[in-house]
Amino acid sequence: MKKFFMTILRSVASVGTVFLMLSLAACGQFAGEQSMYHADYPYFSSIDELTAEADLIIIGETVSANNVEKLKTSSDSDDALPYTMCEVRISQVIKGTAEVGEIITVKQFGDFKKMPDSALKELDGYIKKDSTNLMFLRVFDGVPSEPLSPYQGVVSIENGKLVSKSKYSLFGFENNESVEDAVDSIGAVIEIRSKGD
Amino acid sequence: MHRMIKTICIIVVVCLLFATSGASAAQYIYYDSGLRSPIVVVNVIDAMGVFGIAQTKWHNTNTCVQIVQGTGNDVSTIVAENLASSWYGCYTPLSREHLFFWGRAYKCKITLNTQLLANKSATFRASVLVHEFGHAFCLDDNPSSGNLSIMNYDRDRNYLSWPTTDDIAGVNYAYGE
């Protein structure tokens, strides 16, 4: 009786496993990804290029995050696009006009939950509350600033070291430089450029 | 009992290999929110003067893709807008095939950002538009090959404005050529 029961159990388990695995395989083949924006962002081949393009370079702590708003960012149409916003308290200004202690709003393209930007989604790049980041920002009139690129515009700071998941990042991907070293590198570029001007 | 566990493990591994084979066998990355049809009818509202270049670059490939102009509610669109945003161009899939698991799109919207593109060369702008059409034809960003690709984030947009061998292989995979 026990043997018969075990045989039945084995058969059910085997059939169930095969069915489950085939279902998983089918999902892998046919399941799609949610709708996302696929934006083509500028690429910067050097710290020099990245620094030159940024209007504002800061280090700051995120005091609030994941606030989604539709913003009218186009001067040509009334269409509004979704952005995920965060508020950043500035702890250091490396380039540009801002004050230490000031809280600025930073926007990132897409609704992080319903309709994200694919690069930000892939890199888990939407800025998180309580995180500290080195940011290379583009400043706009009348709308919040935005990182130059999801791949290169925001670098996380953890225990005084720079950390990035993006292989294109000029900081924190292969070498976890210290914040001081990075600030020195950027400062040197700014100094050379200002002498050139 | 041990034999049964071993058998189950083998089945799991085989099924996972089967499930991921489509993506890992190739150097391009298949993008499943591309267009259902390789013939895209597009209403060109404004393509910053490079629609013809992008169209020719794709028509010159050994693929079944066609880009034709048209109007109406069921067609894709290309617009150029002065946007306070950090990107050059953006592909948005519209009208997905399925309610669940989404599937491919019936149409799309391609947006070019004039704020960042106005001072760029025609080659540069064409590189962006050809890239966005790459999404329409089921190519994802940043293929794993490391080879030249119009889908690379770090491509030289002042030089590379055509679909490469990898891109063509990806499109032919997507549309069963």
Side-chain angles (χ1 to χ4, degrees):
Chain A
M1 189 62 184
K2 193 180 170 187
K3 200 174 174 184
F4 176 71
F5 178 72
M6 282 305 288
T7 310
I8 296 275
L9 193 69
R10 269 187 203 154
S11 306
V12 170
S14 303
V15 171
T17 307
V18 169
F19 180 75
L20 182 71
M21 291 306 115
L22 287 175
S23 303
L24 272 174
C27 286
Q29 288 287 303
F30 304 115
E33 64 175 32
Q34 72 176 119
S35 286
M36 291 194 263
Y37 293 108
H38 277 254
D40 190 18
Y41 289 92
Y43 168 72
F44 306 96
S45 61
S46 65
I47 296 172
D48 190 46
E49 277 184 22
L50 186 69
T51 302
E53 188 71 10
D55 302 308
L56 184 62
I57 305 174
I58 57 158
I59 292 173
E61 188 191 348
T62 313
V63 292
S64 77
N66 294 341
N67 310 311
V68 177
E69 274 185 46
K70 283 201 160 185
L71 295 179
K72 188 185 166 302
T73 47
S74 169
S75 59
D76 303 324
S77 83
D78 288 331
D79 292 348
L81 290 168
Y83 287 86
T84 302
M85 328 273 265
C86 65
E87 289 183 306
V88 177
R89 182 184 290 116
I90 298 173
S91 58
Q92 190 170 350
V93 180
I94 304 164
K95 182 187 173 187
T97 310
E99 298 291 327
V100 171
E102 185 184 346
I103 293 178
I104 61 164
T105 303
V106 173
K107 73 182 194 305
Q108 291 176 289
F109 186 47
D111 176 335
F112 78 104
K113 203 177 259 181
K114 292 180 184 165
M115 181 81 177
D117 172 80
S118 63
L120 285 164
K121 172 87 174 174
E122 185 194 335
L123 294 164
D124 190 21
Y126 285 103
I127 297 166
K128 292 179 178 60
K129 189 173 183 289
D130 297 329
S131 65
T132 304
N133 298 285
L134 167 63
M135 294 184 183
F136 298 83
L137 299 170
R138 194 182 296 280
V139 176
F140 301 101
D141 282 338
V143 287
S145 305
E146 188 173 326
L148 291 179
S149 156
Y151 300 103
Q152 298 178 298
V154 179
V155 187
S156 175
I157 297 173
E158 293 171 17
N159 301 318
K161 301 275 183 188
L162 293 168
V163 181
S164 176
K165 289 178 184 168
S166 166
K167 68 175 181 180
Y168 301 105
S169 178
L170 297 168
F171 300 98
F173 182 67
E174 284 178 338
N175 305 312
N176 295 118
E177 307 97 325
S178 69
V179 177
E180 290 79 15
D181 286 349
V183 171
D184 286 349
S185 308
I186 299 163
V189 167
I190 293 169
E191 197 179 324
I192 291 166
R193 283 192 160 261
S194 66
K195 280 178 185 166
D197 294 339
Chain B
M1 194 62 181
H2 282 293
R3 190 182 289 173
M4 197 167 92
I5 291 169
K6 203 173 166 184
T7 310
I8 290 170
C9 287
I10 290 168
I11 292 170
V12 169
V13 170
V14 168
C15 287
L16 286 175
L17 281 174
F18 171 69
T20 57
S21 59
S24 62
Q27 295 174 324
Y28 50 81
I29 301 176
Y30 173 68
Y31 169 53
D32 57 22
S33 307
L35 294 178
R36 197 165 174 271
S37 167
I39 301 165
V40 51
V41 183
V42 64
N43 181 12
V44 183
I45 295 165
D46 185 355
M48 299 189 76
V50 293
F51 173 74
I53 301 173
Q55 185 188 37
T56 305
K57 301 276 182 189
W58 275 108
H59 285 181
N60 285 346
T61 60
N62 189 20
T63 63
C64 58
V65 302
Q66 279 183 56
I67 303 166
V68 291
Q69 289 198 65
T71 53
N73 290 332
D74 298 330
V75 305
S76 298
T77 49
I78 302 176
V79 296
E81 292 179 5
N82 182 19
L83 285 152
S85 212
S86 283
W87 42 264
Y88 294 129
C90 182
Y91 170 88
T92 310
L94 302 169
S95 305
R96 304 289 292 275
E97 268 183 307
H98 313 299
L99 188 59
F100 299 107
F101 299 139
W102 299 290
R104 289 193 193 168
Y106 282 100
K107 61 179 182 176
C108 68
K109 181 180 181 182
I110 292 173
T111 309
L112 300 175
N113 187 359
T114 59
Q115 185 159 136
L116 267 63
L117 288 174
N119 296 326
K120 303 292 183 187
S121 67
T123 305
F124 195 106
R125 296 198 300 268
S127 178
V128 174
L129 187 54
V130 171
H131 172 98
E132 299 310 338
F133 273 121
H135 288 309
F137 299 133
C138 301
L139 298 176
D140 210 340
D141 289 310
N142 301 321
S144 52
S145 62
N147 294 339
L148 210 60
S149 165
I150 195 67
M151 305 314 291
N152 282 339
Y153 163 65
D154 60 349
R155 71 192 184 281
D156 179 355
R157 291 166 178 82
N158 278 312
Y159 168 69
L160 183 62
S161 62
W162 63 90
T164 66
T165 309
D166 272 6
D167 303 323
I168 291 165
V171 172
N172 284 334
Y173 167 78
Y175 294 102
E177 288 293 303

